[in-house]
Amino acid sequence: MTTLPLHFSPEVAAARAKARPIVALESTIITHGMPYPQNLDTAQRVENAVRDAGAIPATIAVLDGQLHVGLDEARLETLARAQNVAKLSRADLAVCLATGGTGATTVAATMIAAHAAGIAIFATGGIGGVHRGAEHSFDISADLQELAQTPVTVVCAGAKAILDLPKTLEVLETLGVPVIAYGQDSLPAFWSASSDLSAPLRLDDAQSIARAHIARAALGLPGGQLVANPIPAEAEIPAAEITPIIENATREAAAKGIKGKAVTPFLLDRIYTLTEGRSLDANIALVVNNARLAAKIAICLDKERQSGARR
Ligand code: PSU
Ligand code: MN
């Protein structure tokens, strides 16, 4: 079997050499989730949030057929400015590497790369899930399957209401993925800190999340954990305001016949326009918040593993 060549940024290579805690970050949010230059600014702020919390950020992407774990400043900027970058999920990653392509990694593909690089914790904004109308379109993100099979803990702000949240929870339950709300009972809903759904599980501190990650592996269970961290109160857009906007965007997507991987980017772009950019401010605040929590979990995970090794 050939091993996958990974290209580490100098910062990530140094962190690996010293066994420092590392947090993986995805890149589809940069290329398909936000416009330039806010995407670059956000990516840098998210990386700095991880550093300020005492861990090392590793933004993951494929550039000219090379799988990068950690992007230096110039590469991050190139990616943020690039047009027509491929969106890579589990199905696309190998073809992109084989053909020398460039692509941004979704949650699923980022989990695969993080695991290959020995990184257990990953921060993002929102995951993919079961789309509204999935009973007709069958549009269910590969992110859910990935959470069921790849042992990475993903910190998100819950799922966007562009998805069918009850169906998304049902599929995650079927797949055996722990969905853990951080510090509250209600499932966070991305732009809104809470929803009318209760989260299946709740944990109140980073150490418990790290211990649960270890316990899952000790049980021999494949797959990761999904941590849903509520958006900070001052940045939230109440559900009553965002719901009609999401409904408009969803109707437009259907009327235009938008399908498959184009659905999520189309909806995000329309919601950005329809909220006159307010959705973006909220999005930035919540990703930074998730990066901080992910860094704390990564630090706890290292401590737990070290004390486990001493026992
Ligand atoms: N949801 C968001 N913002 C995003 C995405 C999802 O709120 O940027 C991106 C993530 O990279 C996620 C991907 O993994 O879209 C899911 O796409 P799909 O539904 O096509 O699997
Ligand atoms: Mn899809």
Side-chain angles (χ1 to χ4, degrees):
M1 206 182 114
T2 49
T3 51
L4 177 69
L6 297 171
H7 296 262
F8 296 105
S9 64
E11 186 186 21
V12 171
R16 285 165 55 85
K18 291 187 198 142
R20 302 252 339 257
I22 303 175
V23 172
L25 301 167
E26 63 150 311
S27 47
T28 297
I29 189 174
I30 302 173
T31 55
H32 293 70
M34 293 182 186
Y36 181 84
Q38 289 96 334
N39 61 351
L40 178 60
D41 180 54
T42 304
Q44 289 165 337
R45 280 165 65 180
V46 169
E47 289 200 345
N48 285 332
V50 172
R51 292 185 188 105
D52 292 347
I56 300 300
T59 302
I60 290 173
V62 178
L63 304 177
D64 302 321
Q66 300 191 322
L67 184 49
H68 286 265
V69 177
L71 298 179
D72 59 27
E73 243 174 83
R75 290 197 166 106
L76 195 62
E77 170 139 18
T78 304
L79 190 71
R81 285 173 176 275
Q83 303 284 320
N84 305 318
V85 176
K87 172 178 160 186
L88 308 176
S89 190
R90 164 174 276 260
D92 319 290
L93 201 50
V95 168
C96 187
L97 292 172
T99 55
T102 289
T105 50
T106 62
V107 168
T110 305
M111 288 177 74
I112 294 168
H115 181 52
I119 303 171
I121 311 295
F122 163 20
T124 184
I127 59 154
V130 182
H131 277 267
R132 295 180 182 201
E135 61 274 31
H136 302 293
S137 67
F138 276 46
D139 189 347
I140 302 176
S141 174
D143 291 353
L144 303 185
Q145 281 284 355
E146 204 60 53
L147 281 159
Q149 55 189 308
T150 302
V152 172
T153 288
V154 178
V155 181
C156 70
K160 272 185 192 147
I162 59 176
L163 301 175
D164 185 320
L165 298 184
K167 285 197 183 75
T168 300
L169 281 185
E170 288 296 344
V171 170
L172 286 167
E173 183 184 21
T174 301
L175 294 173
V177 177
V179 179
I180 302 163
Y182 181 64
Q184 66 182 34
D185 293 326
S186 158
L187 183 76
F190 202 82
W191 294 296
S192 317
S194 54
S195 67
D196 48 15
L197 297 168
S198 22
L201 296 162
R202 166 184 176 161
L203 291 174
D204 292 339
D205 57 87
Q207 188 185 40
S208 308
I209 297 169
R211 285 184 173 164
H213 181 103
I214 290 169
R216 201 172 162 85
L219 284 167
L221 296 175
Q225 317 187 95
L226 185 64
V227 176
N229 184 28
I231 183 171
E234 66 278 8
E236 127 176 283
I237 306 180
E241 258 178 83
I242 198 82
T243 305
I245 291 173
I246 292 167
E247 282 167 1
N248 278 338
T250 308
R251 267 195 300 273
E252 270 183 56
K256 290 203 158 126
I258 309 286
K259 288 201 179 69
K261 341 170 112 198
V263 171
T264 302
F266 176 88
L267 293 175
L268 297 184
D269 182 62
R270 287 307 293 152
I271 292 166
Y272 169 73
T273 305
L274 293 169
T275 59
E276 294 166 351
R278 273 206 308 145
S279 65
L280 185 59
D281 298 334
N283 203 340
I284 294 169
L286 68 85
V287 195
V288 168
N289 190 46
N290 294 344
R292 261 186 231 120
L293 176 57
K296 279 191 211 160
I297 298 168
I299 292 165
C300 288
L301 187 63
D302 274 15
K303 285 194 186 132
E304 291 291 323
R305 281 175 172 162
Q306 280 158 18
S307 63
R310 273 199 301 275
R311 249 180 250 133

